[in-house]
Amino acid sequence: MSSERVFGLHAVSSVLQRDPVRIKVLFVQEGRDDDRLNRLLEQAEAAGVTVQRSARKRLDGMVDGVHQGVVADCKAISAGDESDLQKLLAQLPENPLFLVLDGVTDPHNLGACLRTAEAAGVLAVIAPKDKSAPLNATVSKVACGAAEIVPYIQVTNLSRTLQALQQAGVWITGTAGEAQQTLFEANLKGAAALVMGAEGKGMRRLTREHCDQLIKIPMLGSISSLNVSVATGVCLFEIVRQRSL
């Protein structure tokens, strides 16, 4: 089974809380002793996780990022596929919300989108298998535990998947700078899927053609676009706001 390294106090704590059996070994920086780390060690002991003290230099060589003195060698999270999506569609809750990422390849952006999606109550995040970021340790760290909660489903044919969502009664809203209506003018209530395109290129043509409506974020400054994870947060929480009215 493939492995990944989850690092950072919050990310490792989230795995310990939600799925401790994923952790094979927890590496902790020797000589470190503080309240946050001690609480994490208590979690690990309660879950029966093996803890190994290691020199900071060794931890530095394990990961490419700020580990805060903790690195967990974990069984890798695997993305879902079309069969997982079909199971979700067969038992949809009232007014489900999906996030579709078309061409988001940066794991930092994927992690941030997963974190925002979890906060906004998204049922699943969907992306094509080609030209999309995979689930990895960077995604897990940026997502701060959301990667273990929100299903990330990678599909072979995104256009066919959008059609399946529509057949299940889900309204598809795509984001495009040239859209005529802003997200504040559009009706975003009900069963919905929000489609976000890659930075710069936006949605692919076939993806755009399968959208029921297009919206844009009004930009009042000189910069023409936002980072995709920031734009995702703006749009998702406008949907949350409308649903709360």
Side-chain angles (χ1 to χ4, degrees), residues 121-219:
V122 167
L123 186 61
V125 176
I126 301 169
K129 288 182 180 177
D130 295 331
K131 297 181 180 178
S132 290
L135 286 176
N136 58 25
T138 300
V139 173
S140 292
K141 179 167 175 57
V142 175
C144 290
E148 285 77 33
I149 302 173
V150 181
Y152 179 56
I153 297 174
Q154 291 188 297
V155 298
T156 303
N157 188 314
L158 186 58
S159 296
R160 188 165 60 227
T161 296
L162 293 178
Q163 288 178 319
L165 288 172
Q166 288 169 323
Q167 290 167 3
V170 177
W171 187 258
I172 312 293
T173 298
T175 52
E178 68 276 11
Q180 296 301 306
Q181 63 177 345
T182 72
L183 78 159
F184 305 120
E185 297 166 336
N187 182 352
L188 301 173
K189 298 180 181 180
L194 174 69
V195 185
M196 306 297 299
E199 288 186 57
K201 297 179 181 178
M203 293 181 295
R204 292 174 294 175
R205 179 183 59 82
L206 279 176
T207 304
R208 182 190 307 259
E209 290 177 357
H210 284 88
C211 291
D212 296 303
Q213 66 176 347
L214 297 178
I215 60 171
K216 63 181 178 182
I217 298 173
M219 303 294 292

Side-chain angles (χ1 to χ4, degrees), residues 8 18 70 78 84 108 157 220:
R18 297 186 174 93
V70 290
S78 58
D84 297 296
H108 292 87
N157 188 314
L220 305 182

Side-chain angles (χ1 to χ4, degrees), residues 4 6 10 39 55 141:
E4 67 177 11
V6 177
H10 191 100
R39 286 195 297 270
K141 179 167 175 57

Side-chain angles (χ1 to χ4, degrees), residues 3-8 12 24-30 50-74 136-138 141:
S3 298
E4 67 177 11
R5 284 176 175 156
V6 177
F7 54 96
V12 172
K24 301 174 182 177
V25 182
L26 176 60
F27 297 95
V28 178
Q29 183 177 321
E30 60 187 12
T50 301
V51 176
Q52 182 175 321
R53 291 280 182 173
S54 301
R56 176 174 179 175
K57 186 174 182 180
R58 184 186 179 193
L59 299 184
D60 290 344
M62 286 183 174
V63 297
D64 181 16
V66 180
H67 54 69
Q68 298 177 300
V70 290
V71 177
D73 186 21
C74 298
N136 58 25
T138 300
K141 179 167 175 57

